[in-house]
Amino acid sequence: MGLLFLDVTPKGIIMGSDSNDVIIYDNRLKVSSEKTNKEKVIRIQISNFKGLLGYVGTEKIRKTQIRNWLESFRDRNENLNLAEFCDKLADELSKSWRKYRLKSGLWIFVSGFEKKEERFYYINNIGHLDTNSGLYSQISYQFKAVNDLDDNYIRPRLRSGIIKKDILRKTIFNFRNGAIVPFAQIYEKYNEILKILINTGDGGFKKLNRLEKYSFIARQRLEFIKRLYSKKHGIYKREDSIIGKGVSVYAVDKKGYIYECSKNKYQKVN
């Protein structure tokens, strides 16, 4: 697919993607000639964790669709805790990449709630991302699992009297991968526009006090990007758009309930 995003908000977690197949190679992104409408976000429940798994960058392990491979792995390891699950996933992907000598990169996001605590891990085999070009390099056979939210975003902000809950109450963390240029720049500008609207003092705008409202914004942000990349409805002139036709956005609340966020509905799916 073209892109994968994750927002960790004060009210819950939101993950979304489009449906396009964009394969990550060393310093190159390949857009699939097949215009598919694949679902790239998978619901997951293991041990004390409920959440979502999303992927970008590789569509097949030999003849097996990566979604099918990941769902099979999930079903075989539902008794593991989250850390064990992510470590084992990295290990099995490494074995497959070595066995079949795969050259492509793969990013996986796993995020949700473990005993009502926000978690976000990523699993990948990519060493470097050039944020200016949006290209990836140092792709290897070895995958790593990283407890990204806690290790890289929460722990550096902890101070005396300030705990994880305090940080998440006041901060929205945004993560994205895949074909991020120029998506990342547009993404940031879209967020700036929203801040202006929210801070104008106009009582007509609803307060962002529910996960449903955050999810609506996340969906509209992705729809805006998709429309820009439409040859028919937007301003993109080539056939190899990195953004696919379908858009999927899901949310996880603090109770572990998962919701599908369509254009007009916010519907519980588990």
Side-chain angles (χ1 to χ4, degrees), residues 44-46 48-52 111-114 252 255-256 270:
I44 181 172
Q45 180 173 348
I46 54 171
N48 294 314
F49 174 83
K50 291 182 180 179
L52 302 165
S111 189
F113 288 86
E114 187 175 33
V252 190
K255 294 181 180 180
N270 74 330

Side-chain angles (χ1 to χ4, degrees), residues 62-93:
R62 296 209 73 187
K63 296 182 180 181
T64 302
Q65 291 288 335
I66 190 67
R67 180 185 178 92
N68 296 338
W69 192 99
L70 290 167
E71 287 178 329
S72 176
F73 177 88
R74 173 200 62 188
D75 295 343
R76 295 194 314 270
N77 295 282
E78 60 184 6
N79 294 323
L80 298 180
N81 64 40
L82 181 59
E84 293 168 339
F85 179 90
C86 292
D87 285 341
K88 187 172 181 181
L89 178 56
D91 183 58
E92 289 204 13
L93 286 169

Side-chain angles (χ1 to χ4, degrees), residues 26-246:
D26 196 78
N27 288 310
R28 179 168 65 96
L29 297 178
K30 179 183 177 182
V31 180
S32 174
S33 58
E34 298 180 15
K35 298 303 179 184
T36 62
N37 196 22
K38 295 178 182 177
E39 176 71 70
K40 307 300 180 75
V41 178
I42 299 169
R43 285 173 276 166
I44 181 172
Q45 180 173 348
I46 54 171
S47 187
N48 294 314
F49 174 83
K50 291 182 180 179
L52 302 165
L53 181 154
Y55 63 93
V56 61
T58 295
E59 289 299 324
K60 289 184 179 181
I61 296 180
R62 296 209 73 187
K63 296 182 180 181
T64 302
Q65 291 288 335
I66 190 67
R67 180 185 178 92
N68 296 338
W69 192 99
L70 290 167
E71 287 178 329
S72 176
F73 177 88
R74 173 200 62 188
D75 295 343
R76 295 194 314 270
N77 295 282
E78 60 184 6
N79 294 323
L80 298 180
N81 64 40
L82 181 59
E84 293 168 339
F85 179 90
C86 292
D87 285 341
K88 187 172 181 181
L89 178 56
D91 183 58
E92 289 204 13
L93 286 169
S94 299
K95 291 177 181 177
S96 293
W97 252 245
R98 287 193 178 90
K99 180 177 180 180
Y100 301 118
R101 297 186 177 276
L102 300 179
K103 302 298 184 182
S104 58
L106 176 66
W107 269 91
I108 295 173
F109 287 173
V110 181
S111 189
F113 288 86
E114 187 175 33
K115 293 183 178 179
K116 298 185 179 181
E117 187 169 352
E118 293 87 345
R119 301 291 189 201
F120 167 52
Y121 278 72
Y122 71 76
I123 298 94
N124 77 4
N125 64 330
I126 300 169
H128 179 69
L129 164 64
D130 185 331
T131 55
N132 292 318
S133 68
L135 297 178
Y136 301 81
S137 60
Q138 301 174 23
I139 295 172
S140 72
Y141 295 143
Q142 184 66 42
F143 282 77
K144 58 184 176 294
V146 177
N147 183 1
D148 199 30
L149 180 63
D150 288 294
D151 289 349
N152 297 324
Y153 291 88
I154 299 299
R155 189 163 292 122
R157 290 171 168 82
L158 294 176
R159 300 290 186 273
S160 177
I162 298 177
I163 61 175
K164 179 178 179 179
K165 186 182 296 185
D166 299 325
I167 297 168
L168 291 171
R169 190 183 298 122
K170 299 178 181 179
T171 310
I172 298 177
F173 292 105
N174 307 118
F175 307 93
R176 58 264 187 188
N177 254 295
I180 64 168
V181 172
F183 165 67
Q185 292 91 330
I186 298 170
Y187 181 105
E188 294 299 338
K189 293 301 181 182
Y190 191 96
N191 286 347
E192 288 180 20
I193 293 170
L194 289 172
K195 289 177 182 178
I196 293 170
L197 291 175
I198 293 168
N199 294 326
T200 56
D202 186 334
F205 288 104
K206 297 179 180 179
K207 292 182 179 180
L208 290 180
N209 56 3
R210 292 170 55 192
L211 182 59
E212 180 178 0
K213 296 173 185 175
Y214 283 104
S215 301
F216 170 80
I217 291 172
R219 172 85 194 203
Q220 294 305 313
R221 183 179 59 206
L222 193 51
E223 291 282 357
F224 176 71
I225 300 290
K226 184 187 79 172
R227 181 57 62 94
L228 286 179
Y229 275 92
S230 169
K231 186 177 181 180
K232 181 179 180 181
H233 302 290
I235 56 176
Y236 199 71
K237 64 181 181 179
R238 290 163 46 181
E239 298 292 342
D240 61 339
S241 169
I242 61 172
I243 308 299
K245 180 180 179 181

